[in-house]
Amino acid sequence: MIDSNPTNGPCGCAGCTCRKPIDDQTGFQVGEGFQRFNQKHDQFNRSLWDPTVRSDKVRRFFESYYTDKASFRKVEGFQHRDYALRNASWYVADFTADLLETSHDRKEGFLDTYTLFREGATVQKLDSTPAENSAELKRAARFLGADLVGICEYDERWVYTHNYSRRDDREKPIDLPSDLPYVVVLANAMDHDTIQTVPSALSGAATGQGYSKDIIALLSTAQYIRNLGYRAVASLNDTALSIPLAIQAGLGEYGRHGLLITPEFGPRVRIAKIFTDLPLEPDQPIHFGVREFCGICRKCAKGCPPKAIADGEPSAEPHTISNLVGVTKWTVNAEKCFGFWANQGTDCSICIRVCPYNKDFSKWYYRLGRRLAGTRLRRLLLWLDDALKFGQRRTAGWWWGRA
Ligand code: SF4
Ligand code: SF4
């Protein structure tokens, strides 16, 4: 499946060979038939134009983010207070996304890059090396709210072929300059305890809060780069696939559930990225045993109600048009996954809750467990995870009732 021809690949990226040396470190096998992703095919966008996805349940799912239109239930986790908190947690993300949608057809952060910046410096800071710039940038980004920061080289394979306008239901050209050689990848942790209550509307607050924190760190860090006199294009879910860039930037490994697994927060992160020409020193991908652990663990696949997660070996076969084509990896069936979200009226993170890497790694014994999970003792660690009943659901009442 590997493309050994060093000329342009079938993806059509200028000078791209589809397969790159960094793939040996990330574990993504990019092969013949690889195609860059078109954002129009994203599962959420399909719910606007694809009759096989559109339904009353899907409409009600999106409407529930306006609290007056949510269908409150008596069961814990789906009551008025749960939707009120979930929707409040999305406030920063929603506000910035809605700001220019009607007037400029830009849904920033979800369909378009951010343009909400002040003027930067007109003079470039030139008195430091790429290594010094990288160290200072990481220091600044953490100060500005990022939990994790990594740097990789620009990789056109993960940039969408098109953006998508939900306002006008049309494809739009990508507005990313092609001469920005580095990508700064930021990640922010999602709350551990609310995730324990998945499935619930309450647990959706972890997602919204993660995005909102990410946006503050992202916009502030991009402004810092602009204030150094360099270009910085800030992107959240729009414009490019975040997970491969995060892995190439050394933030973590790829899990069976299709998510980034970081050493610090496991799969409990939201990701953002900045494309820039600030001279930087890229990081290297890391390996702490996730691939091997996922090979023996299937907790996410077993726990997923609609069985959207692969329980076999990595494969290049896409399930639907919402999957990437030509990359051998574990792939989630986005139609099944989103169908479950629509049915229950909120997003789902069961695969995050049950993942053995979903621990509070500020505690030494979990860090020790994580280290052992990367060794031949992984089966013992998996057994312990079951025996100690990690990943079990807690009630929303437990969360609300705590001091
Ligand atoms: S979010 Fe829920 S439905 Fe989707 S893959 Fe994870 S467990 Fe399955
Ligand atoms: S639950 Fe297990 S198989 Fe799934 S991503 Fe986490 S470690 Fe891997």
Side-chain angles (χ1 to χ4, degrees), residues 255-257 261 290 293-294 297-301 351 354-357:
R256 180 184 289 279
H257 46 28
I261 297 185
V290 170
F293 196 87
C294 286
C297 168
R298 292 187 167 47
K299 293 186 93 162
C300 52
C351 47
V354 302
C355 180
Y357 285 101

Side-chain angles (χ1 to χ4, degrees), residues 70-228:
S71 303
F72 310 138
R73 294 180 234 161
K74 286 196 175 146
V75 290
E76 279 192 18
F78 294 89
Q79 298 172 2
H80 192 154
R81 62 182 179 182
D82 303 301
Y83 282 100
L85 181 63
R86 184 197 71 174
N87 295 355
S89 76
W90 276 91
Y91 170 70
V92 172
D94 287 338
F95 177 76
T96 49
D98 292 348
L99 212 52
L100 299 175
E101 187 175 21
T102 308
S103 58
H104 293 76
D105 190 18
R106 294 187 66 80
K107 199 162 185 68
E108 302 201 344
F110 293 89
L111 301 176
D112 300 281
T113 57
Y114 287 100
T115 54
L116 305 159
F117 293 104
R118 310 194 85 181
E119 288 303 312
T122 49
V123 177
Q124 288 186 334
K125 179 179 180 297
L126 296 168
D127 59 353
S128 45
T129 65
E132 288 166 342
N133 289 341
S134 298
E136 289 170 7
L137 173 75
K138 289 178 180 179
R139 177 81 183 88
R142 290 206 180 93
F143 171 77
L144 294 168
D147 287 328
L148 304 174
V149 193
I151 298 163
C152 66
E153 290 178 354
Y154 173 79
D155 190 332
E156 192 177 22
R157 298 176 301 175
W158 313 126
V159 177
Y160 298 148
T161 58
H162 297 85
N163 279 336
Y164 177 67
S165 161
R166 284 186 203 164
R167 190 191 73 171
D168 297 343
D169 182 20
R170 66 182 172 92
E171 292 177 355
K172 295 195 300 190
I174 290 286
D175 59 354
L176 181 66
S178 57
D179 57 346
L180 301 176
Y182 301 106
V183 188
V184 181
V185 185
L186 314 176
N188 272 88
M190 294 193 287
D191 181 63
H192 180 269
D193 290 353
T194 40
I195 293 271
Q196 298 284 89
T197 71
V198 178
S200 67
L202 172 65
S203 64
T207 311
Q209 187 212 31
Y211 274 127
S212 295
K213 285 194 303 182
D214 231 15
I215 290 165
I216 291 168
L218 170 68
L219 296 181
S220 309
T221 305
Q223 186 67 50
Y224 165 76
I225 295 173
R226 293 163 70 92
N227 293 349
L228 295 178

Side-chain angles (χ1 to χ4, degrees), residues 198-199 256-259 299-310 332-334 336-341 344 347-354:
V198 178
R256 180 184 289 279
H257 46 28
L259 302 170
K299 293 186 93 162
C300 52
K302 284 182 200 148
C304 172
K307 300 295 169 222
I309 298 174
V332 170
N333 185 324
K336 287 186 180 178
C337 172
F338 186 59
F340 180 71
W341 293 24
Q344 67 157 2
D347 59 333
C348 162
S349 304
I350 292 174
C351 47
I352 295 179
R353 189 192 83 213
V354 302

